[in-house]
């Protein structure tokens, strides 16, 4: 570290005003602040100093995502070997599965970060504004919500689309209306539906004849096809990071303990899904409606979306009361889309995007209601 | 309706004076009906999945705008102000029905593809906009030039939208495959998003983005 720091201090004059590489100072500053805490402070006015900054926030979320990523790698291998009929027990062939999964998943991570950061750096250099850590989390979320068999060029196209159209056109980090990672997924979902839905894509290099249907696809027939234990532990086909609810809950604990993710949003999304599931259980008009409501928590990406995506502080509702309505709306919409439209099995993706769009309206209503209540009291 | 009131000075001039030429060139970029005035968006989203029907649509709209401008301009001093919209609609409807019949007679397959959108030219805001903003206050010759310019401006934008949508959505241009087979064998897949109207919205947005960053003309709120 000492070496890196010396090197940065040595190179810094080259990037200062009038230096040789002045044009690239944003890139240099980006790397420098990524590695070390910047030594520049504001000199005027009163400031409250907090231990948390954008870099630390982003890193904690990335750390919270690591369990899901590691399990996702192992599971990608596990599902592959399971379909071939090798190492069928969950305890067997641990290293083989992990290595196979890593070969499938890590390139997606590299492509997602490479393309996303490349575009961010390019735009920052062109516009002359500072590079920030805004893409660190999105770049990690994108691989986790992709099927393990996704072609890499599609990841690249989707990431580019999401960074440009969901983020940069709105003004960059912190200004986006929609969750960037979900925009990448929704782009792929509509642009290349055969690679994002169906039975064939959830297991990498699946053996022919082995059913790769997800629990959500099975549920259309009324039976999820997996035990609650398998669903909870994540021994099921699905997107890379969404399968293990255990790993997601570990992430949730990290987010809640550090105060970065809002527990209100997480709880209310699950509550909304539960309420809608109960209502459908009561109606029971088709096979899917009869699937017990608690299965909805453990199928598909509902848990992942609730913990890592709905809680995105930029796109979620900002008011404390609004977070409850926002979460309930997302949870109810997610289950509704799942049950009503078999063509869109993954309802949570569309539900969160819908919630993102509605969040400012929810905040407005909450604020106005508060003003009215206080005026009436006065 | 168009906020831009273009009044042409009444004076003697040769065929296609500078002002007349401006009538045609202005709507192509600086006052484009789609990218600047944001009119006629719904047909631009609906018909632009392929180039061929888009071209037919562009020609149809150009013809309708030109001749409705011309006819209304002839009648402009006879039309009572209160019922002018009805008169304008009647003229436009007649022209649209004529165009529709011609399409049905000569390019039946394209006409089927365009389906209701030919009929919907009647409600195309560009047509009404030009009648209200221009033809009601100007002589026939400038009016027909204005119609031509706006039709071409509209056509240029929807043609470029259709070009990108057909290219990325089905790998073709005017129905001919331009993306070679070996690219598909390498794993390339046509982009389904471009085939749904959302794809057209993004394409138009990018065209507006490019145009404004070249012309540096922004509408500050």
């Amino acid at each position: 570290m000492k070496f890196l720091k010396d090197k940065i201090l040595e190179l810094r004059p080259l990037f200062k005003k009038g230096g040789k590489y002045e044009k690239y100072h944003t890139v240099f500053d980006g790397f420098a602040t990524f590695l070390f805490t910047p030594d520049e402070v504001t000199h005027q006015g009163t400031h409250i100093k907090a231990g948390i900054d954008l870099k630390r926030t982003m890193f904690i979320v990335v750390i919270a995502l690591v369990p899901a990523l590691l399990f996702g790698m192992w599971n990608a291998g596990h599902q592959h070997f399971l379909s071939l009929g090798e190492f069928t027990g969950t305890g067997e062939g641990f290293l083989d599965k992990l290595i196979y999964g890593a070969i499938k998943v890590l390139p997606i991570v590299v492509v997602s970060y490479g393309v996303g950061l490349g575009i961010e750096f390019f735009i920052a250099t062109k516009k002359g504004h500072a590079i920030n850590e805004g893409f660190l989390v999105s770049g990690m979320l994108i691989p986790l919500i992709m099927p393990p068999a996704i072609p890499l060029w599609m990841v690249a196209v989707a990431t580019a689309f999401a960074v440009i159209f969901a983020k940069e056109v709105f003004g960059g980090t912190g200004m986006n209306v929609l969750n960037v990672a979900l925009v990448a997924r929704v782009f792929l979902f509509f642009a290349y539906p055969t690679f994002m839905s169906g039975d064939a894509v959830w297991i990498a290099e699946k053996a022919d004849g082995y059913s790769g249907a997800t629990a959500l696809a099975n549920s259309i027939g009324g039976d999820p096809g997996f035990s609650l234990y398998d669903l909870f532990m994540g021994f099921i086909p699905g997107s890379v990071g969404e399968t293990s609810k255990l790993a997601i809950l570990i992430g949730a604990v990290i987010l809640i303990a550090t105060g970065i993710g809002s527990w209100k949003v997480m709880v209310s999304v699950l509550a909304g899904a539960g309420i809608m599931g109960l209502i459908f259980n009561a109606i029971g008009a088709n096979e899917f409606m009869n699937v017990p409501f608690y299965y909805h928590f453990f199928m598909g990406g509902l848990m992942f979306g609730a913990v890592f995506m709905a809680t995105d502080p930029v796109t979620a509702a900002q008011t404390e009361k609004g977070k409850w309505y926002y979460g309930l709306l997302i949870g109810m919409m997610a289950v509704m889309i799942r049950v009503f439209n078999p063509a869109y099995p993954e309802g949570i993706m569309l539900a969160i995007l819908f919630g993102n769009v509605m969040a400012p309206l929810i905040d407005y209503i909450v604020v106005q209601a508060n003003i009215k209540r206080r005026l009436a009291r006065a | 309706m168009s906020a831009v009131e273009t009044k042409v000075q009444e004076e003697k001039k040769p065929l296609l004076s500078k002002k007349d030429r401006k009538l045609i060139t202005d709507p192509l970029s600086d006052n484009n009906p789609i990218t600047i005035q944001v009119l006629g968006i719904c047909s631009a989203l609906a018909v632009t999945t392929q180039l061929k029907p888009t071209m037919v649509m562009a020609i149809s709209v150009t013809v309708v705008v030109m001749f409705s401008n011309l006819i209304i301009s002839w009648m402009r001093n006879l039309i009572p102000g209160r019922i002018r919209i009805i008169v304008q609609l009647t003229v436009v409807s007649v022209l649209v029905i004529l165009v529709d019949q011609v399409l049905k007679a000569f390019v039946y397959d394209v006409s089927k593809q365009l389906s209701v959108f030919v009929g919907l030219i009647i409600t195309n805001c560009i047509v009404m906009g030009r009648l209200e903003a221009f033809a009601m206050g100007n002589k026939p010759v400038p009016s027909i030039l204005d119609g031509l310019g706006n039709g071409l401006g509209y056509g240029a934008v929807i043609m470029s939208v259709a070009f990108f949508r057909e290219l990325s959505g089905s790998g073709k241009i005017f129905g001919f495959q331009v993306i070679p087979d070996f690219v598909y064998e390498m794993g390339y897949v046509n982009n389904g998003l471009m085939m749904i109207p959302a794809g057209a919205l993004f394409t138009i947005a990018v065209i507006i983005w490019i145009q404004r960053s070249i012309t540096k003309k922004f509408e500050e709120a």
Side-chain angles (χ1 to χ4, degrees), chain A residues 153 161 165 187 190-192 195, chain B residues 187 189-193 202 206 209:
Chain A
W153 69 269
F161 178 85
F165 283 96
F187 173 82
F190 285 108
Y192 309 109
F195 290 83
Chain B
V189 186
N190 287 328
N191 190 326
L193 185 73
F202 286 120
V206 171
W209 185 0

Side-chain angles (χ1 to χ4, degrees), chain B residues 184-200:
Chain B
Y184 285 105
E185 277 155 27
M186 276 159 60
Y188 177 79
V189 186
N190 287 328
N191 190 326
L193 185 73
M194 297 303 271
M195 298 305 283
I196 56 178

Side-chain angles (χ1 to χ4, degrees), chain A residues 11-251:
Chain A
L11 287 174
R12 189 144 73 176
L14 287 178
F15 293 91
K16 283 272 178 258
K17 235 187 164 105
K20 203 169 163 191
Y21 305 112
E22 187 193 333
K23 235 166 91 187
Y24 305 105
H25 79 96
T26 51
V27 178
F28 180 79
D29 288 347
F31 275 115
T33 50
F34 180 78
L35 292 166
F36 298 102
T37 312
D39 55 358
E40 288 160 18
V41 288
T42 37
H43 295 287
Q44 287 177 330
T46 315
H47 293 269
I48 296 170
K49 210 171 175 182
I52 197 103
D53 59 2
L54 188 62
K55 181 167 66 166
R56 206 161 280 177
T57 315
M58 293 292 177
F59 262 105
I60 290 172
V61 182
V62 171
I63 289 168
L65 284 166
V66 166
L69 176 71
L70 289 179
F71 184 87
M73 283 185 200
W74 176 82
N75 191 46
H78 176 60
Q79 295 297 331
H80 166 70
F81 285 114
L82 199 62
S83 82
L84 297 177
E86 299 167 27
F87 305 126
T88 48
T90 49
E92 296 166 41
F94 177 78
L95 265 184
D96 291 83
K97 289 172 181 173
L98 193 63
I99 291 170
Y100 179 86
I103 292 171
K104 284 285 155 197
V105 174
L106 283 183
I108 306 180
V109 180
V110 171
V111 168
S112 152
Y113 271 122
V115 172
L117 289 177
I119 293 173
E120 289 241 312
F121 278 30
F122 175 75
I123 291 177
T125 314
K126 210 162 158 72
K127 282 190 172 173
H129 62 58
I131 290 169
N132 54 41
E133 293 86 354
F135 190 71
L136 286 184
V137 170
S138 306
M140 189 56 123
L141 282 173
I142 289 171
L144 290 181
I145 52 176
M146 295 290 161
I150 189 90
L152 291 177
W153 69 269
M154 287 187 188
V155 180
V157 173
T159 309
F161 178 85
V163 171
I164 294 171
F165 283 96
K167 195 168 166 189
E168 293 303 338
V169 294
F170 288 103
T173 307
M175 310 294 279
N176 45 315
V177 179
L178 300 171
N179 187 308
V180 177
L182 274 179
V183 171
R185 194 178 200 276
V186 89
F187 173 82
L188 287 181
F189 185 77
F190 285 108
Y192 309 109
T194 49
F195 290 83
M196 291 299 285
S197 50
D199 295 349
V201 300
W202 307 108
I203 299 175
E205 290 167 18
K206 173 176 82 77
D208 293 337
Y210 181 85
S211 164
T214 59
L216 279 170
N218 286 332
S219 294
I220 295 164
D223 175 23
F226 297 95
S227 69
L228 267 185
Y229 174 76
D230 280 355
L231 286 172
F232 179 76
M233 294 303 289
F235 306 137
I236 49 169
S239 298
V240 173
E242 71 173 18
T243 57
S244 174
K245 314 306 170 299
L246 182 67
I248 294 166
L249 287 177
I250 295 172

